[in-house]
mmCIF file of all heavy atoms in Angstrom:
data_model
loop_
_atom_site.group_PDB
_atom_site.id
_atom_site.type_symbol
_atom_site.label_atom_id
_atom_site.label_comp_id
_atom_site.label_asym_id
_atom_site.label_seq_id
_atom_site.Cartn_x
_atom_site.Cartn_y
_atom_site.Cartn_z
ATOM 1 N N TRP A 92 127.741 147.111 96.674
ATOM 2 C CA TRP A 92 127.784 145.887 97.460
ATOM 3 C C TRP A 92 128.779 144.889 96.915
ATOM 4 O O TRP A 92 129.229 144.005 97.605
ATOM 5 C CB TRP A 92 126.405 145.271 97.662
ATOM 6 C CG TRP A 92 125.729 144.711 96.382
ATOM 7 C CD1 TRP A 92 126.075 144.990 95.082
ATOM 8 C CD2 TRP A 92 124.613 143.851 96.353
ATOM 9 N NE1 TRP A 92 125.248 144.290 94.244
ATOM 10 C CE2 TRP A 92 124.339 143.625 94.999
ATOM 11 C CE3 TRP A 92 123.811 143.260 97.339
ATOM 12 C CZ2 TRP A 92 123.275 142.831 94.580
ATOM 13 C CZ3 TRP A 92 122.740 142.433 96.893
ATOM 14 C CH2 TRP A 92 122.508 142.231 95.527
ATOM 15 N N GLU A 93 129.159 145.038 95.658
ATOM 16 C CA GLU A 93 130.134 144.160 95.021
ATOM 17 C C GLU A 93 131.575 144.597 95.317
ATOM 18 O O GLU A 93 132.535 143.876 95.060
ATOM 19 C CB GLU A 93 129.924 144.061 93.536
ATOM 20 C CG GLU A 93 130.437 145.222 92.669
ATOM 21 C CD GLU A 93 129.567 146.494 92.794
ATOM 22 O OE1 GLU A 93 128.579 146.462 93.564
ATOM 23 O OE2 GLU A 93 129.914 147.437 92.072
ATOM 24 N N LEU A 145 115.411 130.631 96.375
ATOM 25 C CA LEU A 145 114.441 130.893 95.333
ATOM 26 C C LEU A 145 114.176 129.634 94.541
ATOM 27 O O LEU A 145 113.019 129.369 94.146
ATOM 28 C CB LEU A 145 114.994 131.993 94.374
ATOM 29 C CG LEU A 145 114.074 132.328 93.168
ATOM 30 C CD1 LEU A 145 112.701 132.743 93.608
ATOM 31 C CD2 LEU A 145 114.720 133.424 92.327
ATOM 32 N N LEU A 156 113.222 139.251 97.700
ATOM 33 C CA LEU A 156 114.663 138.935 97.713
ATOM 34 C C LEU A 156 115.271 139.425 99.011
ATOM 35 O O LEU A 156 115.236 140.641 99.265
ATOM 36 C CB LEU A 156 115.345 139.580 96.492
ATOM 37 C CG LEU A 156 116.821 139.254 96.338
ATOM 38 C CD1 LEU A 156 117.079 137.725 96.323
ATOM 39 C CD2 LEU A 156 117.360 139.859 95.040
ATOM 40 N N VAL A 159 121.796 137.238 99.445
ATOM 41 C CA VAL A 159 122.497 136.408 98.403
ATOM 42 C C VAL A 159 123.594 135.644 99.092
ATOM 43 O O VAL A 159 124.236 136.153 100.011
ATOM 44 C CB VAL A 159 123.078 137.310 97.289
ATOM 45 C CG1 VAL A 159 121.957 138.021 96.536
ATOM 46 C CG2 VAL A 159 124.028 138.330 97.848
ATOM 47 N N HIS A 161 127.246 133.195 98.895
ATOM 48 C CA HIS A 161 128.496 133.084 98.075
ATOM 49 C C HIS A 161 128.620 134.248 97.081
ATOM 50 O O HIS A 161 128.752 134.053 95.903
ATOM 51 C CB HIS A 161 128.448 131.770 97.262
ATOM 52 C CG HIS A 161 128.065 130.604 98.119
ATOM 53 N ND1 HIS A 161 126.911 129.973 98.020
ATOM 54 C CD2 HIS A 161 128.720 130.006 99.170
ATOM 55 C CE1 HIS A 161 126.820 128.999 98.947
ATOM 56 N NE2 HIS A 161 127.914 129.028 99.641
ATOM 57 N N SER A 162 128.521 135.441 97.620
ATOM 58 C CA SER A 162 128.425 136.604 96.783
ATOM 59 C C SER A 162 129.770 137.066 96.197
ATOM 60 O O SER A 162 130.457 137.853 96.800
ATOM 61 C CB SER A 162 127.796 137.757 97.567
ATOM 62 O OG SER A 162 128.155 137.639 98.927
ATOM 63 N N SER A 163 130.101 136.501 95.077
ATOM 64 C CA SER A 163 131.327 136.942 94.370
ATOM 65 C C SER A 163 131.031 138.229 93.628
ATOM 66 O O SER A 163 129.887 138.567 93.297
ATOM 67 C CB SER A 163 131.742 135.875 93.397
ATOM 68 O OG SER A 163 130.858 135.856 92.282
ATOM 69 N N ASP A 164 132.132 138.950 93.414
ATOM 70 C CA ASP A 164 132.116 140.128 92.554
ATOM 71 C C ASP A 164 131.273 140.034 91.301
ATOM 72 O O ASP A 164 130.379 140.803 91.065
ATOM 73 C CB ASP A 164 133.573 140.331 92.064
ATOM 74 C CG ASP A 164 133.922 141.777 92.016
ATOM 75 O OD1 ASP A 164 134.317 142.318 93.029
ATOM 76 O OD2 ASP A 164 133.793 142.337 90.885
ATOM 77 N N GLU A 165 131.531 138.991 90.516
ATOM 78 C CA GLU A 165 130.869 138.823 89.219
ATOM 79 C C GLU A 165 129.377 138.612 89.417
ATOM 80 O O GLU A 165 128.571 139.166 88.687
ATOM 81 C CB GLU A 165 131.447 137.659 88.433
ATOM 82 C CG GLU A 165 132.902 137.759 88.096
ATOM 83 C CD GLU A 165 133.792 137.415 89.289
ATOM 84 O OE1 GLU A 165 133.462 136.496 90.057
ATOM 85 O OE2 GLU A 165 134.820 138.128 89.484
ATOM 86 N N PHE A 166 129.062 137.765 90.355
ATOM 87 C CA PHE A 166 127.638 137.432 90.593
ATOM 88 C C PHE A 166 126.901 138.712 91.019
ATOM 89 O O PHE A 166 125.794 138.996 90.508
ATOM 90 C CB PHE A 166 127.535 136.389 91.682
ATOM 91 C CG PHE A 166 126.080 135.967 91.973
ATOM 92 C CD1 PHE A 166 125.259 135.537 90.930
ATOM 93 C CD2 PHE A 166 125.584 135.994 93.256
ATOM 94 C CE1 PHE A 166 123.943 135.174 91.192
ATOM 95 C CE2 PHE A 166 124.311 135.634 93.532
ATOM 96 C CZ PHE A 166 123.474 135.214 92.493
ATOM 97 N N LEU A 167 127.479 139.526 91.881
ATOM 98 C CA LEU A 167 126.827 140.752 92.314
ATOM 99 C C LEU A 167 126.672 141.730 91.178
ATOM 100 O O LEU A 167 125.679 142.426 91.095
ATOM 101 C CB LEU A 167 127.594 141.341 93.485
ATOM 102 C CG LEU A 167 127.603 140.492 94.790
ATOM 103 C CD1 LEU A 167 128.501 141.077 95.829
ATOM 104 C CD2 LEU A 167 126.203 140.318 95.328
ATOM 105 N N LYS A 168 127.629 141.782 90.299
ATOM 106 C CA LYS A 168 127.538 142.668 89.127
ATOM 107 C C LYS A 168 126.424 142.188 88.180
ATOM 108 O O LYS A 168 125.714 142.987 87.627
ATOM 109 C CB LYS A 168 128.893 142.748 88.398
ATOM 110 C CG LYS A 168 129.869 143.669 89.082
ATOM 111 C CD LYS A 168 131.160 143.748 88.298
ATOM 112 C CE LYS A 168 132.226 144.538 89.017
ATOM 113 N NZ LYS A 168 133.610 144.200 88.554
ATOM 114 N N PHE A 169 126.347 140.856 88.105
ATOM 115 C CA PHE A 169 125.259 140.273 87.297
ATOM 116 C C PHE A 169 123.901 140.709 87.860
ATOM 117 O O PHE A 169 123.029 141.165 87.101
ATOM 118 C CB PHE A 169 125.443 138.733 87.337
ATOM 119 C CG PHE A 169 124.216 137.937 86.843
ATOM 120 C CD1 PHE A 169 124.122 137.640 85.524
ATOM 121 C CD2 PHE A 169 123.250 137.541 87.756
ATOM 122 C CE1 PHE A 169 123.020 136.883 85.062
ATOM 123 C CE2 PHE A 169 122.154 136.794 87.312
ATOM 124 C CZ PHE A 169 122.033 136.492 85.964
ATOM 125 N N LEU A 170 123.782 140.659 89.177
ATOM 126 C CA LEU A 170 122.519 141.103 89.799
ATOM 127 C C LEU A 170 122.290 142.596 89.614
ATOM 128 O O LEU A 170 121.168 143.030 89.283
ATOM 129 C CB LEU A 170 122.527 140.742 91.284
ATOM 130 C CG LEU A 170 122.618 139.264 91.674
ATOM 131 C CD1 LEU A 170 122.622 139.080 93.156
ATOM 132 C CD2 LEU A 170 121.480 138.426 91.000
ATOM 133 N N ASN A 171 123.354 143.386 89.755
ATOM 134 C CA ASN A 171 123.233 144.835 89.491
ATOM 135 C C ASN A 171 122.706 145.061 88.099
ATOM 136 O O ASN A 171 121.771 145.908 87.906
ATOM 137 C CB ASN A 171 124.640 145.497 89.522
ATOM 138 C CG ASN A 171 125.139 145.694 90.982
ATOM 139 O OD1 ASN A 171 124.351 145.631 91.916
ATOM 140 N ND2 ASN A 171 126.423 145.943 91.081
ATOM 141 N N GLY A 172 123.223 144.320 87.176
ATOM 142 C CA GLY A 172 122.850 144.484 85.763
ATOM 143 C C GLY A 172 121.360 144.297 85.482
ATOM 144 O O GLY A 172 120.845 144.880 84.556
ATOM 145 N N ARG A 173 120.718 143.492 86.316
ATOM 146 C CA ARG A 173 119.274 143.335 86.113
ATOM 147 C C ARG A 173 118.476 143.905 87.327
ATOM 148 O O ARG A 173 117.324 143.453 87.557
ATOM 149 C CB ARG A 173 118.864 141.933 85.792
ATOM 150 C CG ARG A 173 119.685 140.786 86.285
ATOM 151 C CD ARG A 173 119.708 139.673 85.255
ATOM 152 N NE ARG A 173 120.925 139.734 84.523
ATOM 153 C CZ ARG A 173 121.121 139.033 83.395
ATOM 154 N NH1 ARG A 173 120.264 138.288 82.904
ATOM 155 N NH2 ARG A 173 122.305 139.158 82.772
ATOM 156 N N SER A 174 119.076 144.845 87.996
ATOM 157 C CA SER A 174 118.354 145.539 89.127
ATOM 158 C C SER A 174 117.804 144.568 90.133
ATOM 159 O O SER A 174 116.747 144.808 90.733
ATOM 160 C CB SER A 174 117.215 146.422 88.582
ATOM 161 O OG SER A 174 117.655 147.215 87.558
ATOM 162 N N LEU A 175 118.482 143.490 90.323
ATOM 163 C CA LEU A 175 118.059 142.541 91.353
ATOM 164 C C LEU A 175 118.632 142.940 92.701
ATOM 165 O O LEU A 175 119.662 142.402 93.171
ATOM 166 C CB LEU A 175 118.461 141.115 90.985
ATOM 167 C CG LEU A 175 117.464 140.412 90.034
ATOM 168 C CD1 LEU A 175 118.095 139.108 89.475
ATOM 169 C CD2 LEU A 175 116.157 140.109 90.740
ATOM 170 N N ASN A 176 118.040 143.927 93.336
ATOM 171 C CA ASN A 176 118.516 144.433 94.598
ATOM 172 C C ASN A 176 117.711 143.755 95.739
ATOM 173 O O ASN A 176 116.609 143.301 95.542
ATOM 174 C CB ASN A 176 118.322 145.945 94.699
ATOM 175 C CG ASN A 176 119.041 146.627 93.525
ATOM 176 O OD1 ASN A 176 120.181 146.301 93.201
ATOM 177 N ND2 ASN A 176 118.347 147.543 92.855
ATOM 178 N N THR A 192 115.255 126.309 85.404
ATOM 179 C CA THR A 192 115.299 127.745 85.013
ATOM 180 C C THR A 192 113.960 128.395 85.374
ATOM 181 O O THR A 192 112.904 127.785 85.228
ATOM 182 C CB THR A 192 115.535 127.873 83.491
ATOM 183 O OG1 THR A 192 116.824 127.354 83.187
ATOM 184 C CG2 THR A 192 115.423 129.289 83.062
ATOM 185 N N MET A 193 114.047 129.628 85.947
ATOM 186 C CA MET A 193 112.803 130.323 86.268
ATOM 187 C C MET A 193 112.610 131.563 85.444
ATOM 188 O O MET A 193 113.564 132.291 85.141
ATOM 189 C CB MET A 193 112.873 130.754 87.787
ATOM 190 C CG MET A 193 112.653 129.653 88.779
ATOM 191 S SD MET A 193 112.539 130.356 90.429
ATOM 192 C CE MET A 193 112.134 128.903 91.355
ATOM 193 N N VAL A 195 110.812 135.106 85.901
ATOM 194 C CA VAL A 195 110.245 135.920 86.986
ATOM 195 C C VAL A 195 109.953 137.318 86.467
ATOM 196 O O VAL A 195 110.519 137.756 85.498
ATOM 197 C CB VAL A 195 111.242 136.001 88.169
ATOM 198 C CG1 VAL A 195 111.518 134.600 88.750
ATOM 199 C CG2 VAL A 195 112.531 136.662 87.726
ATOM 200 N N TYR A 197 109.477 141.400 88.077
ATOM 201 C CA TYR A 197 109.700 142.250 89.226
ATOM 202 C C TYR A 197 109.929 143.667 88.746
ATOM 203 O O TYR A 197 110.459 143.846 87.619
ATOM 204 C CB TYR A 197 110.866 141.763 90.078
ATOM 205 C CG TYR A 197 112.161 141.706 89.308
ATOM 206 C CD1 TYR A 197 113.062 142.756 89.303
ATOM 207 C CD2 TYR A 197 112.503 140.554 88.562
ATOM 208 C CE1 TYR A 197 114.257 142.707 88.558
ATOM 209 C CE2 TYR A 197 113.658 140.489 87.848
ATOM 210 C CZ TYR A 197 114.562 141.552 87.865
ATOM 211 O OH TYR A 197 115.704 141.495 87.147
ATOM 212 N N ARG A 200 110.550 144.942 85.132
ATOM 213 C CA ARG A 200 110.920 143.800 84.261
ATOM 214 C C ARG A 200 109.864 142.734 84.305
ATOM 215 O O ARG A 200 109.499 142.269 85.358
ATOM 216 C CB ARG A 200 112.275 143.247 84.739
ATOM 217 C CG ARG A 200 113.299 144.341 84.802
ATOM 218 C CD ARG A 200 114.693 143.805 84.978
ATOM 219 N NE ARG A 200 115.593 144.978 85.073
ATOM 220 C CZ ARG A 200 116.703 145.005 84.337
ATOM 221 N NH1 ARG A 200 117.104 144.040 83.572
ATOM 222 N NH2 ARG A 200 117.490 146.041 84.480
ATOM 223 N N GLU A 203 112.216 138.135 83.178
ATOM 224 C CA GLU A 203 113.654 137.834 83.267
ATOM 225 C C GLU A 203 113.753 136.327 83.486
ATOM 226 O O GLU A 203 112.979 135.721 84.196
ATOM 227 C CB GLU A 203 114.278 138.547 84.458
ATOM 228 C CG GLU A 203 114.545 140.023 84.216
ATOM 229 C CD GLU A 203 115.740 140.271 83.259
ATOM 230 O OE1 GLU A 203 116.579 139.347 83.074
ATOM 231 O OE2 GLU A 203 115.800 141.392 82.704
ATOM 232 N N THR A 204 114.814 135.774 82.834
ATOM 233 C CA THR A 204 115.070 134.342 83.004
ATOM 234 C C THR A 204 116.259 134.130 83.925
ATOM 235 O O THR A 204 117.300 134.759 83.646
ATOM 236 C CB THR A 204 115.286 133.704 81.648
ATOM 237 O OG1 THR A 204 114.154 133.996 80.827
ATOM 238 C CG2 THR A 204 115.460 132.210 81.789
ATOM 239 N N LEU A 205 116.084 133.317 84.938
ATOM 240 C CA LEU A 205 117.214 133.046 85.857
ATOM 241 C C LEU A 205 117.516 131.557 85.868
ATOM 242 O O LEU A 205 116.629 130.736 86.097
ATOM 243 C CB LEU A 205 116.835 133.525 87.261
ATOM 244 C CG LEU A 205 116.390 134.965 87.412
ATOM 245 C CD1 LEU A 205 115.901 135.251 88.813
ATOM 246 C CD2 LEU A 205 117.541 135.918 87.047
ATOM 247 N N SER A 206 118.783 131.241 85.676
ATOM 248 C CA SER A 206 119.197 129.819 85.701
ATOM 249 C C SER A 206 119.029 129.259 87.088
ATOM 250 O O SER A 206 119.008 129.963 88.090
ATOM 251 C CB SER A 206 120.629 129.713 85.221
ATOM 252 O OG SER A 206 121.442 130.151 86.266
ATOM 253 N N LYS A 207 119.036 127.930 87.177
ATOM 254 C CA LYS A 207 118.895 127.283 88.474
ATOM 255 C C LYS A 207 120.070 127.658 89.364
ATOM 256 O O LYS A 207 119.855 127.948 90.585
ATOM 257 C CB LYS A 207 118.883 125.749 88.256
ATOM 258 C CG LYS A 207 118.611 125.043 89.558
ATOM 259 C CD LYS A 207 118.274 123.576 89.375
ATOM 260 C CE LYS A 207 117.763 122.983 90.681
ATOM 261 N NZ LYS A 207 117.745 121.510 90.600
ATOM 262 N N ILE A 208 121.271 127.701 88.771
ATOM 263 C CA ILE A 208 122.460 128.120 89.552
ATOM 264 C C ILE A 208 122.242 129.456 90.247
ATOM 265 O O ILE A 208 122.548 129.604 91.405
ATOM 266 C CB ILE A 208 123.700 128.270 88.573
ATOM 267 C CG1 ILE A 208 123.972 126.967 87.831
ATOM 268 C CG2 ILE A 208 124.905 128.815 89.314
ATOM 269 C CD1 ILE A 208 124.676 125.916 88.684
ATOM 270 N N VAL A 209 121.672 130.388 89.530
ATOM 271 C CA VAL A 209 121.371 131.693 90.060
ATOM 272 C C VAL A 209 120.333 131.581 91.179
ATOM 273 O O VAL A 209 120.469 132.116 92.306
ATOM 274 C CB VAL A 209 120.967 132.698 88.983
ATOM 275 C CG1 VAL A 209 120.352 134.000 89.587
ATOM 276 C CG2 VAL A 209 122.112 133.024 88.046
ATOM 277 N N CYS A 210 119.229 130.855 90.843
ATOM 278 C CA CYS A 210 118.132 130.718 91.815
ATOM 279 C C CYS A 210 118.551 130.113 93.145
ATOM 280 O O CYS A 210 118.032 130.420 94.171
ATOM 281 C CB CYS A 210 117.005 129.912 91.182
ATOM 282 S SG CYS A 210 116.300 130.753 89.763
ATOM 283 N N GLU A 211 119.553 129.258 93.076
ATOM 284 C CA GLU A 211 120.031 128.636 94.277
ATOM 285 C C GLU A 211 120.821 129.578 95.171
ATOM 286 O O GLU A 211 121.030 129.306 96.355
ATOM 287 C CB GLU A 211 120.911 127.409 93.928
ATOM 288 C CG GLU A 211 120.103 126.217 93.551
ATOM 289 C CD GLU A 211 120.929 125.089 92.955
ATOM 290 O OE1 GLU A 211 122.105 125.346 92.606
ATOM 291 O OE2 GLU A 211 120.441 123.991 92.855
ATOM 292 N N LYS A 212 121.319 130.654 94.565
ATOM 293 C CA LYS A 212 122.100 131.616 95.344
ATOM 294 C C LYS A 212 121.290 132.770 95.875
ATOM 295 O O LYS A 212 121.788 133.603 96.611
ATOM 296 C CB LYS A 212 123.248 132.164 94.469
ATOM 297 C CG LYS A 212 124.325 131.162 94.113
ATOM 298 C CD LYS A 212 125.388 131.801 93.295
ATOM 299 C CE LYS A 212 126.561 130.862 93.088
ATOM 300 N NZ LYS A 212 127.544 131.454 92.116
ATOM 301 N N LEU A 213 120.039 132.814 95.498
ATOM 302 C CA LEU A 213 119.165 133.862 95.998
ATOM 303 C C LEU A 213 118.269 133.378 97.095
ATOM 304 O O LEU A 213 117.554 132.367 96.939
ATOM 305 C CB LEU A 213 118.293 134.384 94.777
ATOM 306 C CG LEU A 213 119.114 134.966 93.598
ATOM 307 C CD1 LEU A 213 118.101 135.377 92.510
ATOM 308 C CD2 LEU A 213 119.968 136.149 94.043
#
Side-chain angles (χ1 to χ4, degrees):
Chain A
W92 69 345
E93 79 285 3
L145 178 57
L156 183 54
V159 296
H161 313 109
S162 31
S163 72
D164 216 84
E165 299 79 38
F166 181 54
L167 294 173
K168 282 182 185 158
F169 166 89
L170 297 179
N171 283 344
R173 28 215 101 193
S174 310
L175 277 168
N176 304 314
T192 295
M193 283 187 175
V195 299
Y197 58 93
R200 305 190 181 228
E203 282 287 341
T204 304
L205 303 174
S206 73
K207 188 169 190 192
I208 301 282
V209 168
C210 296
E211 282 170 345
K212 290 181 173 174
L213 299 178

